Amino acid sequence: LAKTTPGTVFVGNLSFFCNETHLRELVSTYGEVREVEVVRSRNGNSLLYGFVDFASPVDGENAVQILHRTLFMGRRI
């Protein structure tokens, strides 16, 4: 995980099977989540990364510190 803009967190190395619901469930314990996006190709396949927009930049930073290199759905994010 890496912070991009205030409140927005980049999440890389996602599982092929990860969707927005899975990612939201993981990060929602660290603060209010405004939006979650798993980036997809034109044919709908996951590109294995996504973004989480937290209501608070502090919550986003906390999520990065806690979840960085965490094993999630069989992969280190």
Side-chain angles (χ1 to χ4, degrees):
L1 284 102
K3 205 168 153 200
T4 56
T5 60
T8 302
V9 174
F10 169 84
V11 186
N13 201 35
L14 293 174
S15 164
F16 291 99
F17 306 106
C18 181
N19 62 33
E20 285 80 0
T21 301
H22 297 127
L23 190 52
R24 182 180 292 274
E25 288 174 0
L26 174 70
V27 299
S28 63
T29 57
Y30 301 100
E32 181 185 344
V33 176
R34 289 188 196 159
E35 186 176 352
V36 174
E37 177 187 13
V38 173
V39 180
R40 302 185 181 284
S41 67
R42 290 182 188 169
N43 63 7
N45 293 329
S46 172
L47 295 179
L48 309 180
Y49 70 94
F51 297 92
V52 177
D53 186 28
F54 285 91
S56 162
V58 172
D59 291 342
E61 182 63 37
N62 287 339
V64 169
Q65 290 178 7
I66 294 167
L67 293 174
H68 183 70
R69 304 285 301 149
T70 296
L71 192 61
F72 175 60
M73 297 183 73
R75 297 179 71 132
R76 292 228 179 263
I77 57 171

